[in-house]
Amino acid sequence: MIYAGDWPGWLFVLLIVIGVSGIGLMMYRRRANTGSPTATTHYGKLAVVAALQVAMLMTIVWVLRQPTLSTEQLRAGENSVAFALDTSQSMSYGESESRLASAVRAFAAATADDSALNLGVQLYEMSDRARRVESFLSSEALGTQTALLASVTDVLREARFSPLAAIVLASDGADTGGGLTPAALGEVAAFGVPVHTIGVGRELIPEDLELVDLVLPEKTLPGSSITARLSIRHDAPANTRIKVYNDDLLLESQPLELRPGSQVTTAWVNVRLEEAGHHHLRFSIDALNGERELRNNSRSALVEVADDSYRVLYFEGEPRWEYKFMRRALGDDEDLQLASLLRVSPNKFYRQGIDSPDQLEDGFPTQRSELFAYDALIIGSVEAASLSESQIAMIHDFVSERGGSLLMIAGPNGLGNGGWGQSGIASVLPARLPGSSTNSFFRKKAGVELTPHGADEQMLRLADESIANGEKWAALPEIADYQLTGSLRPAAIVLLNAQTDKGDIPLLIGQQFGRGHAYILATGGTWRWQMSMPVEDQSHETFWRQLLRTLVSQAPNNVSLTAGAGDADSAVRLRAEFRDAAFAPLDDIAVTAIVTHQSGETFSTALAPAADDRGVFLAEVPLAESGTWYFEAIAERNGEPVGVARSSMHFEAGQEEYFGFRRDNRNLERLSQATGGQHLGPGDIDALPELLRYSSSGITETDYRPIWDAPAIFLLLLLLKGGEWLLRRRWSTI
């Protein structure tokens, strides 16, 4: 609304001031005409009459300013609108008709009154990109990817030299292109063209199950059990079964109850892999009655069982039962080499598990390359003062830079008693240890309790089933001692608790620090699990083997290659990292990746150095076929090879369209809001012609409609004056 009157604004203010003052003076002069039982009633009547007169005055002043409605709308015959139809494979799903057919029908309803729109029409099909078409009559849902923003950008760029009033997009909102970032939305909004979205399909599909996510380690050791975490989407309670296949061999099968009250259920499955090599694991969930889309009921992953030898250094300050029984528990594990350094007197050590006479000859390593050759480090009941500042700094870098795992074990001279809380590795540890002046070690028995976080950890699995695992831990004998660890750091996770006479205290704590991990085991008394249990019970051996296998498997090699999902649906992102023996980044090298399909097809591509991460090289590699792919990154300096890293993955082309295919209004609403458009449901199509007619984009014209002379305004004036007259006649004293 604008005001067409050309009178100066101060004049209207003056009129209001004079009018209100006059009304006030008149009411003041009539204050003595009581004629009422009480003065309060009389003053109330004066106030009512004054309010009506002020409203009359304000309305007259408003009319004198000549209020006018200014309406901006598209100029007839000089603009166009683009209709974009999602033709990805998820649009083929439907009940009585497909989502594609529903979208075409919605477009037909929106353009039925073409004379009212008077706009040119451009038609586009879109999936990974947008393509101009003449008609939607032959459109099919065949696209293997949905890239909403990329397709909209294609339309905007093609029409940047023509008056485009708006884009109308019909889609289920499922976006597999991963492009709905704030930065990308800002680029689309900069074109200034509103995008109106029409959502098709159902948000809830009770008859469908979907294996939303699968998380499991990419690498493990022979004979180890790995835990896979599955997330299943369901819109109604149901019962199903999880099955795990190694190629065509059924490994595991377990029932799963999908309970009401949650649309996503998380389940854990343990899988044991014995043989070295690459294993193609397929996880599937049984279909429900009437379930039509079964391709989202399974996911696959490739797990490498590495036939490598991992090295662990155990530095202990005194002979004790924990040292003896830990070494005995790990004695038969061929994949772990436990080199122990036991201090028997000052500057004198007893070495076990060494490869050569000169290994650890001078005690704890003094060179980075010597310490960094190990994958994990265990420090027992030994004082921090027994190491030099440079050695402690090496331990810090062993975790943060090398990516090794550190395990600190309680003892009379360990943890807080040993002064480690005031040492150079204090920040590495997951707890703020007490000072050495306070005794924090107690030779008292304590029970052990598995925490909820610990129940999810494979390294703490003493039984396959969760309930049986909890019962197994509850049945363990008490530990022989415990040590107070102080307050936890923000990133710390408690995996085990000790039930002591001081209450429950953290027993096994872990956190990630830099590239590595640090743990505290606040007891040196797990040996009682071996001494107080039947000889055939393997709980003590299982605990230590799984704990150390987890420690070493978390430590990266100095050369590594990972393959993950790329920006495009049919691409993989390679990340190679090369470091020397001391784990210093290598950036004076050239890296080439050799990519091989299981069929034997091979090609090579160069990896580019990462802009902000030394020693890291990246590449986006397109994959044309489904199946197992093998990657080998070769680093060269001056034409000579300096390192090789290998990786592999199982790839299934075009599968993402069958996952997350429920209507996603959030994506459509974000796109509309960012561009100034509106999101419409299937029942709101009738509002589309008005949205297009009054679009702010394209060639527009302004229409002015005065409202000061509208009959309603004069009727209001009549009611105000007539109401005042009637009241004054009734009261007769004002």
Side-chain angles (χ1 to χ4, degrees):
M1 186 173 63
I2 63 173
Y3 295 97
D6 56 359
W7 292 12
W10 62 266
L11 182 57
F12 293 107
V13 175
L14 180 60
L15 289 175
I16 292 173
V17 172
I18 293 173
V20 173
S21 300
I23 293 171
L25 179 61
M26 183 181 66
M27 294 299 107
Y28 178 77
R29 294 178 61 182
R30 284 174 166 76
R31 73 187 188 285
N33 299 336
T34 55
S36 299
T38 65
T40 301
T41 303
H42 178 65
Y43 287 130
K45 295 176 179 179
L46 287 176
V48 171
V49 173
L52 291 172
Q53 291 180 348
V54 170
M56 177 79 175
L57 173 64
M58 299 295 290
T59 304
I60 293 173
V61 172
W62 184 71
V63 169
L64 291 176
R65 295 190 66 188
Q66 299 182 28
T68 303
L69 289 179
S70 172
T71 306
E72 189 175 18
Q73 60 184 359
L74 297 177
R75 184 176 296 175
E78 298 188 22
N79 296 276
S80 62
V81 59
F83 288 89
L85 176 64
D86 184 353
T87 55
S88 61
Q89 291 179 355
S90 63
M91 293 289 286
S92 64
Y93 191 85
E95 291 73 48
S96 59
E97 64 177 355
S98 68
R99 297 175 179 180
L100 186 73
S102 298
V104 173
R105 184 162 49 81
F107 280 161
T111 58
D113 189 5
D114 187 58
S115 60
L117 291 175
N118 201 8
L119 297 169
V121 174
Q122 303 172 17
L123 305 181
Y124 292 88
E125 292 180 351
M126 52 158 283
S127 54
D128 56 336
R129 311 296 302 193
R131 293 165 293 277
R132 186 80 174 265
V133 295
E134 296 298 324
S135 169
F136 291 142
L137 295 177
S138 59
S139 296
E140 296 182 276
L142 301 176
T144 59
Q145 184 184 18
T146 306
L148 295 178
L149 279 187
S151 299
V152 170
T153 302
D154 288 343
V155 176
L156 292 171
R157 287 175 177 167
E158 183 175 324
R160 63 184 181 273
F161 299 119
S162 62
L164 184 64
I167 297 176
V168 182
L169 167 64
S171 171
D172 55 17
D175 184 87
T176 58
L180 287 175
T181 62
L185 285 170
E187 293 178 4
V188 171
F191 283 90
V193 177
V195 179
H196 305 296
T197 56
I198 301 174
V200 294
R202 290 185 294 167
E203 294 182 84
L204 300 177
I205 308 179
E207 71 276 11
D208 181 78
L209 297 181
E210 179 181 329
L211 182 51
V212 178
D213 194 24
L214 169 65
V215 179
L216 73 165
E218 297 179 356
K219 191 175 183 180
T220 188
L221 279 66
S224 295
S225 292
I226 60 173
T227 299
R229 187 185 70 200
L230 288 72
S231 299
I232 297 96
R233 167 73 185 266
H234 55 94
D235 297 327
N239 290 289
T240 185
R241 179 171 287 274
I242 300 174
K243 296 178 180 177
V244 185
Y245 296 87
N246 186 358
D247 289 328
D248 295 328
L249 177 64
L250 178 64
L251 297 182
E252 295 289 337
S253 177
Q254 66 182 51
L256 177 64
E257 180 183 0
L258 306 175
R259 298 181 178 179
S262 174
Q263 291 185 331
V264 177
T265 294
T266 302
W268 287 265
V269 181
N270 296 320
V271 180
R272 187 175 180 86
L273 300 174
E274 299 288 349
E275 298 181 1
H278 291 90
H279 295 262
H280 173 211
L281 301 182
R282 180 168 58 88
F283 295 77
S284 67
I285 49 178
D286 286 352
L288 300 177
N289 291 331
E291 186 170 359
R292 297 177 53 195
E293 183 54 75
L294 303 181
R295 285 168 290 192
N296 61 359
N297 285 35
S298 65
R299 285 185 181 269
S300 297
L302 201 68
V303 176
E304 179 185 2
V305 178
D307 192 12
D308 296 332
S309 180
Y310 296 88
R311 305 180 69 195
V312 181
L313 173 60
Y314 180 14
F315 181 36
E316 182 56 79
E318 58 179 292
R320 54 178 181 159
W321 292 110
E322 193 77 328
Y323 171 85
K324 173 184 177 180
F325 282 100
M326 182 200 300
R327 286 203 56 87
R328 182 181 295 178
L330 301 172
D332 296 333
D333 197 326
E334 298 178 355
D335 300 309
L336 293 176
Q337 294 183 5
L338 179 63
S340 57
L341 190 66
L342 175 62
R343 185 181 64 185
V344 293
S345 65
N347 300 320
K348 187 174 182 180
F349 300 94
Y350 175 59
R351 297 173 293 160
Q352 287 182 278
I354 56 177
D355 297 326
S356 61
D358 58 348
Q359 183 181 352
L360 303 174
E361 184 178 13
D362 298 324
F364 194 86
T366 56
Q367 301 295 322
R368 285 169 62 98
S369 57
E370 184 182 3
L371 178 61
F372 285 17
Y374 295 94
D375 300 289
L377 171 63
I378 304 173
I379 298 178
S381 182
V382 60
E383 310 88 348
S386 66
L387 301 179
S388 66
E389 291 186 5
S390 62
Q391 287 175 313
I392 292 179
M394 281 191 340
I395 297 175
H396 180 284
D397 296 344
F398 173 81
V399 179
S400 63
E401 297 181 16
R402 186 255 184 267
S405 297
L406 171 65
L407 174 63
M408 302 287 292
I409 303 178
N413 299 312
L415 297 180
N417 283 13
W420 292 101
Q422 293 76 48
S423 71
I425 67 166
S427 60
V428 176
L429 302 177
R432 299 175 178 88
L433 298 177
S436 57
S437 59
T438 302
N439 179 36
S440 57
F441 182 77
F442 300 91
R443 295 189 184 277
K444 298 179 180 180
K445 295 179 181 179
V448 178
E449 179 185 40
L450 193 65
T451 69
H453 285 294
D456 295 338
E457 288 289 337
Q458 175 59 44
M459 66 179 178
L460 299 179
R461 288 274 175 176
L462 301 181
D464 291 337
E465 296 292 334
S466 296
I467 296 177
N469 186 51
E471 294 173 348
K472 191 83 171 179
W473 276 99
L476 287 177
E478 294 178 314
I479 52 178
D481 51 57
Y482 63 88
Q483 192 158 3
L484 303 180
T485 57
S487 61
L488 301 180
R489 297 193 181 275
I493 297 176
V494 179
L495 304 175
L496 292 174
N497 277 329
Q499 299 169 321
T500 73
D501 54 353
K502 301 180 184 299
D504 287 356
I505 65 171
L507 183 68
L508 179 60
I509 321 166
Q511 77 168 6
Q512 184 172 355
F513 185 85
R515 286 164 47 88
H517 295 78
Y519 294 88
I520 292 176
L521 179 60
T523 181
T526 65
W527 56 268
R528 292 197 76 251
W529 296 344
Q530 180 70 19
M531 292 289 290
S532 303
M533 296 285 282
V535 66
E536 64 273 8
D537 187 271
Q538 295 292 303
S539 298
H540 182 261
E541 290 88 345
T542 301
F543 168 75
W544 278 107
R545 287 179 181 178
Q546 292 183 166
L547 177 59
L548 290 197
R549 281 172 171 251
T550 299
L551 295 183
V552 299
S553 65
Q554 291 173 341
N557 296 323
N558 61 328
V559 296
S560 62
L561 177 64
T562 57
D567 293 335
D569 182 48
S570 58
V572 62
R573 178 177 290 273
L574 298 181
R575 183 186 186 276
E577 186 168 5
F578 289 89
R579 295 172 176 258
D580 60 17
F583 280 75
L586 298 176
D587 48 15
D588 58 341
I589 56 177
V591 180
T592 302
I594 299 176
V595 183
T596 304
H597 186 253
Q598 63 184 36
S599 63
E601 174 191 353
T602 300
F603 63 92
S604 61
T605 185
L607 274 69
D612 55 354
D613 204 352
R614 294 181 57 204
V616 175
F617 299 81
L618 306 171
E620 186 97 356
V621 180
L623 303 180
E625 299 180 60
S626 299
T628 301
W629 289 83
Y630 302 94
F631 310 96
E632 185 176 60
I634 303 174
E636 296 181 334
R637 182 189 293 118
N638 300 324
E640 296 294 328
V642 296
V644 177
R646 296 177 177 85
S647 183
S648 57
M649 71 175 297
H650 185 79
F651 173 74
E652 295 182 359
Q655 292 299 303
E656 288 304 312
E657 277 297 312
Y658 307 113
F659 292 87
F661 70 99
R662 290 162 172 80
R663 189 177 85 215
D664 194 338
N665 284 331
R666 295 171 299 175
N667 285 338
L668 299 177
E669 289 171 354
R670 288 179 61 197
L671 180 56
S672 294
Q673 291 173 0
T675 58
Q678 288 196 25
H679 172 62
L680 304 175
D684 303 326
I685 303 301
D686 293 343
L688 185 59
E690 287 296 306
L691 291 175
L692 297 178
R693 183 177 296 111
Y694 295 106
S695 175
S696 59
S697 180
I699 301 176
T700 61
E701 60 183 4
T702 304
D703 178 39
Y704 298 98
R705 297 183 182 182
I707 61 173
W708 63 270
D709 58 351
I713 303 300
F714 290 97
L715 180 59
L716 175 62
L717 290 172
L718 180 61
L719 289 175
L720 289 173
K721 198 60 184 175
E724 178 197 348
W725 180 80
L726 288 173
L727 290 175
R728 294 177 67 177
R729 288 281 296 174
R730 178 178 177 82
W731 294 330
S732 71
T733 59
I734 301 176

